[in-house]
Amino acid sequence: MKGEDDFPGDRPPDKENVVRFPVKARRYRFRDGKTIPPRPWIMRGLILRKQITSIIAAGGAGKSIFGLCVALHLAAGISFGPFKTVHGPKRVAILTVEEDDDEIDRRLAAIAKHFGFGKDESDRVFIVEIDDPPLLAQVDKRGVIHATEKLRRLEWELGQHGVDVLILDPFIELWSGAENDNGQVKAAVAVIRGVIRRLDAGCLLMHHVKKGLVTPGDIDAGRGAGALGGIVRLAHTITNMTADAAASLGVENPRGIVRVDFAKGNYLPDPGEASWFKFLSIDLENESPPAYPRLGQGWHSRRVAATRPVRESRL
């Protein structure tokens, strides 16, 4: 006759001795659709919690200013063109390594002046200060990508402030490795994605384009390996209005007009048309030393660009 120890499966397991396996298949059961939470949009069509959105654009196309405009509209809890902020104001952190503090201040001041933003919005925006080199991920001697101590500190800071959205500008400056190596690019993005998933936040990742003409809406326009396009769940391109597009839309001067096109969206259908934005010259009314000359037709050193959405019918 078998003793009680011969039937271990008949007794509740000892929690301390349970062996847990990293892979398990469970039988699926349909859930009531009404009980499934909707997708956690932060800014519908642009930013989703726990996911990375890539903004792909050439230098000078305005992706940095676009990102700052998005940041302040998120902080205000309002839409920016076709992109609708969901469930009120958000907290946004901005890590940009291409501009100094004064230039960031100029651009944010210009955007705030044009749209009427004030202290309520600025209180929800955080500028990330990071020592050189500003690396969040780096490659070791074996070619393996690792999160840096700076990324771990950044995660702590974002958590302390309850940040909803992290804007990184640009991707190429924030990691070390071979940008044409799909494995390394994927790993670098993955460590950033791990942070925003743990924080239940979203990320807007600015990315430069490769050499040559950029086709609006081309997910493969980004420089380096194509793995970035595979790991992000949403992507948009920003390109300048072409002479042909200006002619077809009856625009006399396309200067300063850009189009934002849907390049990838795992969670939304392609809208099938571009969203247009126009750059504006905002006078900050700050002092201009005599050494700073005028820069062409009406542009002055104290004028700073901002961008606003514009309907196609009003171009």
Side-chain angles (χ1 to χ4, degrees):
M1 183 174 180
K2 293 181 180 293
E4 61 177 19
D5 290 338
D6 295 319
F7 297 95
D10 294 338
R11 300 188 307 278
D14 183 346
K15 292 183 179 180
E16 295 183 357
N17 296 320
V18 170
V19 177
R20 299 189 181 278
F21 295 96
V23 178
K24 180 182 179 181
R26 67 177 176 86
R27 189 181 301 277
Y28 183 72
R29 293 289 184 266
F30 287 110
R31 292 170 63 183
D32 182 348
K34 296 178 182 179
T35 68
I36 303 174
R39 291 191 178 110
W41 288 106
I42 297 174
M43 182 173 262
R44 184 171 175 80
L46 188 66
I47 305 171
L48 195 68
R49 290 194 187 277
K50 300 183 185 294
Q51 302 295 346
I52 294 176
T53 298
S54 177
I55 300 296
I56 305 166
K63 59 183 176 295
S64 295
I65 293 175
F66 178 84
L68 295 178
C69 286
V70 167
L72 286 179
H73 281 76
L74 283 166
I78 61 176
S79 300
F80 184 50
F83 309 118
K84 180 181 179 181
T85 302
V86 180
H87 302 311
K90 301 294 183 289
R91 293 189 173 195
V92 185
I94 303 167
L95 171 51
T96 177
V97 298
E98 290 189 322
E99 309 296 347
D100 60 29
D101 289 345
D102 285 342
E103 182 58 27
I104 294 172
D105 288 344
R106 292 184 197 103
R107 294 182 178 188
L108 288 173
I111 296 166
K113 181 177 181 179
H114 177 70
F115 289 102
F117 297 137
K119 185 177 184 301
D120 287 346
E121 288 74 34
S122 67
D123 282 347
R124 302 186 190 102
V125 175
F126 302 87
I127 303 300
V128 177
E129 299 177 348
I130 186 169
D131 293 338
D132 285 330
L135 301 179
L136 305 182
Q138 63 183 18
V139 65
D140 64 18
K141 294 179 180 179
R142 299 173 299 162
V144 178
I145 298 292
H146 300 276
T148 64
E149 183 58 38
K150 290 174 183 176
L151 180 61
R152 287 185 279 271
R153 178 64 188 186
L154 175 61
E155 180 175 356
W156 186 88
E157 289 282 345
L158 300 178
Q160 287 293 106
H161 294 293
V163 167
D164 298 288
V165 175
L166 171 63
I167 297 177
L168 298 176
D169 184 18
F171 174 57
I172 188 62
E173 298 281 351
L174 298 173
W175 73 289
S176 70
E179 66 172 327
N180 291 312
D181 185 309
N182 275 299
Q184 291 189 14
V185 169
K186 182 178 180 180
V189 179
V191 297
I192 295 171
R193 184 181 62 185
V195 168
I196 64 167
R197 286 187 172 178
R198 288 189 290 273
L199 295 172
D200 194 30
C203 178
L204 202 60
L205 183 65
M206 305 303 179
H207 189 39
H208 291 309
V209 299
K210 58 189 176 184
K211 294 180 179 179
L213 295 176
V214 178
T215 301
D218 181 10
I219 186 65
D220 295 320
R223 64 180 286 176
L228 177 62
I231 197 169
V232 301
R233 310 319 288 160
L234 296 157
H236 296 266
T237 60
I238 300 178
T239 54
N240 292 308
M241 176 180 275
T242 63
D244 289 343
S248 67
L249 294 172
V251 176
E252 293 185 4
N253 182 10
R255 182 173 181 240
I257 301 176
V258 299
R259 58 184 293 166
V260 176
D261 287 87
F262 193 83
K264 180 181 180 180
N266 292 62
Y267 307 107
L268 282 176
D270 187 340
E273 59 183 10
S275 298
W276 296 94
F277 291 80
K278 187 171 185 177
F279 284 93
L280 307 170
S281 174
I282 308 300
D283 190 347
L284 295 183
E285 302 179 68
N286 51 341
E287 293 292 332
S288 297
Y292 296 166
R294 282 190 168 274
L295 304 174
Q297 300 178 351
W299 287 78
H300 196 269
S301 59
R302 68 186 184 185
R303 287 186 173 272
V304 181
T307 186
R308 65 175 175 85
V310 57
R311 294 179 181 178
E312 188 172 297
S313 60
R314 296 183 180 180
L315 286 170

